[in-house]
Amino acid sequence: MGVRRAAKGIGDFLVELVGEAVAEVFLSLLACAVLVCLGLLAYLSWSFSPRLTLAGAGALSLCLTHGAWGTFRNPAKGRRRRGMTAVTIAGFTLSAATAVFLFLYASDCGCL
């Protein structure tokens, strides 16, 4: 009985180890792909129109700032977040999650 249990424990450990290694490689490749796509998007938009790129970056910054402000402030009593505030909060949350993901997994990316 002890040998079977030990063999099962070793097998479970190896399956978990390989699964984590594959997941780490997949997440690193995904982070590199996201980083490359963001760089390509910036390059293409700049080559199309530098003025529109700067205007778009400014508008995106304002939307993200509004989303951060809406996230960290307390809403008035009895009111919930609606409309544009909810949209900018969702955009800010998605941007923050993407930034954390890229910080964790693309920092050792060999594609740079």
Side-chain angles (χ1 to χ4, degrees):
M1 290 276 275
V3 173
R4 285 185 186 177
R5 194 167 35 184
K8 185 177 185 316
I10 291 172
D12 290 343
F13 171 75
L14 288 175
V15 167
E16 185 177 336
L17 182 70
V18 169
E20 286 182 10
V22 167
E24 185 77 24
V25 168
F26 175 74
L27 288 174
S28 294
L29 288 175
L30 182 64
C32 283
V34 168
L35 197 60
V36 166
C37 286
L38 287 173
L40 182 64
L41 180 69
Y43 173 75
L44 289 176
S45 66
W46 187 264
S47 66
F48 176 70
S49 173
R51 289 180 182 164
L52 283 177
T53 302
L54 292 177
L60 181 64
S61 297
L62 285 175
C63 288
L64 291 177
T65 303
H66 186 262
W69 176 72
T71 300
F72 296 116
R73 75 176 175 100
N74 293 328
K77 191 171 184 173
R79 295 192 58 162
R80 55 186 195 130
R81 296 179 175 107
R82 292 181 277 182
M84 191 61 163
T85 304
V87 171
T88 57
I89 287 173
F92 171 72
T93 305
L94 181 67
S95 300
T98 303
V100 168
F101 172 72
L102 288 175
F103 177 72
L104 292 176
Y105 288 101
S107 58
D108 61 346
C109 183
C111 62
L112 299 177

